[in-house]
Amino acid sequence: MPLATNHSGDRAKTVTLTKFTPSINLTKPGDRHGVMRVDLNWSAEVRRGLFRRPVAIALGLGCLYELADGAKGVVEVDRLGSLEAEPFIRLDEATPGGESLRIDLERPELFRRILLFAKGDADAPNWAAADGVVTLHPTTGPAVEVRLDEPVPSARSCAIALLQNPGQGITVHREVHYVDGAHRELDRAYQWGMDWD
């Protein structure tokens, strides 16, 4: 599996993760990078039907996390998280067509894995029309982009990217895995092992 290397340098550069180059190193052992912003952007409305009326599209950004001490949880619209205490991840206020969260990578050894996901408000969203893209903005090196392509019409959620710390720094791997359902189904697909009852 090809692994791109994230070098410091031109901040205007963006690395796009694809099926053929699905992973990149975000940090190396001992690196400290401060707060990384993660943006989810999509087309907030599309025009369809006989009179081309606008139809709103609403997505939500969130993540499942597992810390090095074994703590697990979810950050999303009703569980905003915190940057000052566990889980060191916080969801910001949404805007039409966009949501952001921040991850404090000042101590990357605190994290084991983070699964970034998007989900629709209720029914399965129109993923193709939404044309979603997630961009990670590390404090050094290029931005990292993952496009929500290959949509599955019936899916309610999409696992976007998996950040892991296997002990050699943090890597990000493109997932773009659509699931019929929300937390439980994402948990089951990635063997997170949380209790949703």
Side-chain angles (χ1 to χ4, degrees):
M1 171 187 316
L3 184 70
T5 303
N6 187 354
H7 295 288
S8 298
D10 183 7
R11 290 294 303 150
K13 183 179 178 186
T14 298
V15 173
T16 300
L17 299 184
T18 68
K19 281 183 175 181
F20 306 104
T21 310
S23 299
I24 191 168
N25 293 320
L26 285 180
T27 69
K28 297 176 183 174
D31 281 357
R32 297 181 184 278
H33 287 278
V35 177
M36 177 177 71
R37 193 178 81 247
V38 179
D39 295 330
L40 168 63
N41 295 103
W42 67 91
S43 298
E45 62 179 40
V46 295
R47 298 188 178 277
R48 68 181 184 195
L50 182 62
F51 299 103
R52 308 283 291 161
R53 294 176 189 250
V55 177
I57 296 176
L59 299 179
L61 176 64
C63 71
L64 297 179
Y65 65 83
E66 182 179 2
L67 302 181
D69 65 6
K72 299 176 185 179
V74 62
V75 172
E76 60 176 355
V77 69
D78 57 350
R79 300 178 184 113
L80 297 178
S82 172
L83 284 176
E84 291 74 35
E86 288 190 7
F88 310 105
I89 304 168
R90 174 147 180 102
L91 185 67
D92 293 332
E93 187 173 335
T95 60
E99 283 200 355
S100 299
L101 61 75
R102 290 171 291 155
I103 304 170
D104 188 351
L105 294 179
E106 184 62 25
R107 296 178 60 198
E109 69 275 8
L110 295 177
F111 296 97
R112 185 169 295 157
R113 56 183 179 158
I114 302 168
L115 180 68
L116 299 171
F117 65 80
K119 68 175 186 172
D121 282 346
D123 300 323
N126 186 336
W127 295 104
D131 191 28
V133 60
V134 166
T135 309
L136 288 74
H137 300 275
T139 56
T140 61
V144 180
E145 180 181 273
V146 180
R147 301 203 69 84
L148 278 61
D149 51 14
E150 302 176 47
V152 175
S154 63
R156 179 164 177 215
S157 303
C158 178
I160 301 164
L162 182 63
L163 285 71
Q164 293 181 287
N165 188 354
Q168 294 84 41
I170 291 182
T171 62
V172 57
H173 187 273
R174 174 191 182 273
E175 297 294 325
V176 191
H177 176 200
Y178 295 88
V179 298
D180 295 326
H183 306 112
R184 290 175 188 269
E185 290 73 20
L186 287 166
D187 185 311
R188 188 176 303 119
Y190 287 88
Q191 300 179 340
W192 221 263
M194 289 176 61
D195 183 0
W196 296 101
D197 293 329

